[in-house]
């Protein structure tokens, strides 16, 4: 007769431990199909437990199909027609990536120092949102997002990006640009070819390909993406960042914008996706308005996010759709609920409407302007970098491209950088070769503290 040592059960109830052991013996084949189990009374005597304990274990096994009963004969082992996973150690999950907080300077980080964020004002807005006794905050949010936030965004776009014709109905709010871009790929059509600037791999390319579209990289010139080459190719959608071509920090001039409008208007079904990346941080006196504001034929789709201007954890982005695409969105994908909490949306609307956001942007822009000047001055006066490094002229954004004359291979440079607790990306356009005897490094200066500028670039210089 089978028996089990119940002293090994620890804090587990007796019936549960007995159930687990019998179940294990059935799945590993120790107890064979149709084998008769000990009677409840006899088994209880062998195990020195109550009959109720055995009955509870048996009842669980019957309920789950591991045992079956025959009237006046007792309990029998079921014949299983599938393999039940054996109990054991949990499989090892892949390790989570580290937070990388140990770097002296991570030039890949793309957020402002958190001390610049008005956390107390944001907390005030969140507390007020949570305290609102409005049933709409407890209900399912419209697929567009809360109207109060969309109205605030529309007013902000009219004041700062020249988008005076945007109505709140055209705005769709979502948790991150990637989420919204995925929805956009669903409504644009099927088997499309999308063109973008050849400035390295894009997360948007992966999203587009996941939806069955084709992504092509095209060369750039001093004016941004080359529209002449796109006009010669079977392209349906053009992905542009006219306010800030990453990582050059340059703005598309008006003649190139007009050329892209002419391309879009020349055939039905062509679209321009405007990613207004870092447009808020313009350091030149006269920045261009958005392409959406200059579009007379409703061919431009506008994307932007609050994650860069607020804090990265605030996953609130939005897109502005032309009327034709808005109708298509509602028909095809409006069953997706808005992916942003109503409380965060309401709090952000308060933050914008009370002027906190505008003051925060002004403070950030002032900080970045001073930081940019300090960094460029440091590079010009550094004994090493002043001789071997050149910085591409940039007027927008918190990145710049630094070309360094060196014969060191990239692997060696990265190894030396890691030894100095520095981390960065090299710039690798997909269809362009880097200058001979040079490497190009992308410097994201958003997270550099002003007091550390000298120390950061002094350490960077020692690599070369």
């Amino acid at each position: 007769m089978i028996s089990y040592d119940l002293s090994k059960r620890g804090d587990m109830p007796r019936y549960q431990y007995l159930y687990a052991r019998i179940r294990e013996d059935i799945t590993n084949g120790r107890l064979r199909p149709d084998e008769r189990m000990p009677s409840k009374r006899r088994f209880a005597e062998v195990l020195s437990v109550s009959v109720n304990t055995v009955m509870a274990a048996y009842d669980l096994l019957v309920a789950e199909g591991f045992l079956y009963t025959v009237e006046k004969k007792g309990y029998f082992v079921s014949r299983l027609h599938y393999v039940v996973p054996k109990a054991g150690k949990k499989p090892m999950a892949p390790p989570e990536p580290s937070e990388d907080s140990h770097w002296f300077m991570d030039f890949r980080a793309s957020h402002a120092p958190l001390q610049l964020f008005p956390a107390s004002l944001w907390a005030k807005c969140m507390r007020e949102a949570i305290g609102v006794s409005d049933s709409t905050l407890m209900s399912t949010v419209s697929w567009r997002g809360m109207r109060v936030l969309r109205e605030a965004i529309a007013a902000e776009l009219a004041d700062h990006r020249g988008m005076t014709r945007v109505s709140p109905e055209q705005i769709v709010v979502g948790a991150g640009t990637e989420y919204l871009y995925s929805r956009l790929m669903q409504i644009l059509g099927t088997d499309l070819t999308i063109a973008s600037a050849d400035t390295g791999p894009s997360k948007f390319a992966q999203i587009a390909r996941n939806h069955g579209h084709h992504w092509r990289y095209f060369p750039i010139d001093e004016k941004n993406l080359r529209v002449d080459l796109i006009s010669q190719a079977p392209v349906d959608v053009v992905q542009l960042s006219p306010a800030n071509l990453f990582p050059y920090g340059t703005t598309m001039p008006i003649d190139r914008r007009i050329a892209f409008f002419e391309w879009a208007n020349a055939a039905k079904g062509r679209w321009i996706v405007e990613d207004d990346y870092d447009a808020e941080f313009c350091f030149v006196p006269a920045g261009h308005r958005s392409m959406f504001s200059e579009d007379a034929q409703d061919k431009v789709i506008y994307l932007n996010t609050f994650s860069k201007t607020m804090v990265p954890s605030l996953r609130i982005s939005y897109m502005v759709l032309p009327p034709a695409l808005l109708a298509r969105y509602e028909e095809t994908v409006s069953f997706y609920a808005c992916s942003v909490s109503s409380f965060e949306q309401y709090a952000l609307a308060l933050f914008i409407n009370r002027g906190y956001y505008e003051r925060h942007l002004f403070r950030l822009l002032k900080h970045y302007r001073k930081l940019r000047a300090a960094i460029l001055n440091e590079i010009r006066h550094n004994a090493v970098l002043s001789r071997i490094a050149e910085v591409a002229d940039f007027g927008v954004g918190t990145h710049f491209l630094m070309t360094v004359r060196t014969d060191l291979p990239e692997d060696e440079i990265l190894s030396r950088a890691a030894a100095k607790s520095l981390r960065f990306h090299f710039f690798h356009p997909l269809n362009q070769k880097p200058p001979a005897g040079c490497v190009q490094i992308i410097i994201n200066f958003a997270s550099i503290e002003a007091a550390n500028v000298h120390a950061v670039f002094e350490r960077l210089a020692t690599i070369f």
Side-chain angles (χ1 to χ4, degrees), residues 110-118 278 280-283 306-311 351 356-372 397-398 445-447:
S110 59
H111 57 81
L114 295 181
Q115 60 265 31
L116 293 177
F117 180 66
D278 263 7
E280 298 86 355
F281 306 126
C282 182
F283 308 113
F306 289 98
S307 298
K308 186 67 183 291
T309 52
M310 299 281 280
V311 288
F351 197 79
Y356 301 153
Y357 183 66
E358 186 172 358
R359 292 203 296 271
H360 172 58
L361 279 185
F362 180 80
R363 185 184 179 196
L364 272 183
L365 183 59
K366 182 179 178 181
H367 166 78
Y368 285 145
R369 184 179 283 115
K370 290 176 64 176
L371 184 60
R372 171 180 179 267
T398 58
F445 63 87
S447 57

Side-chain angles (χ1 to χ4, degrees), residues 10-26:
D11 295 330
M12 189 181 294
R14 290 183 176 86
Y15 82 92
Q16 198 169 27
Y17 182 78
L18 181 58
Y19 150 82
R21 297 287 68 79
I22 297 172
R23 185 184 189 277
E24 182 180 347
D25 282 349
I26 292 173

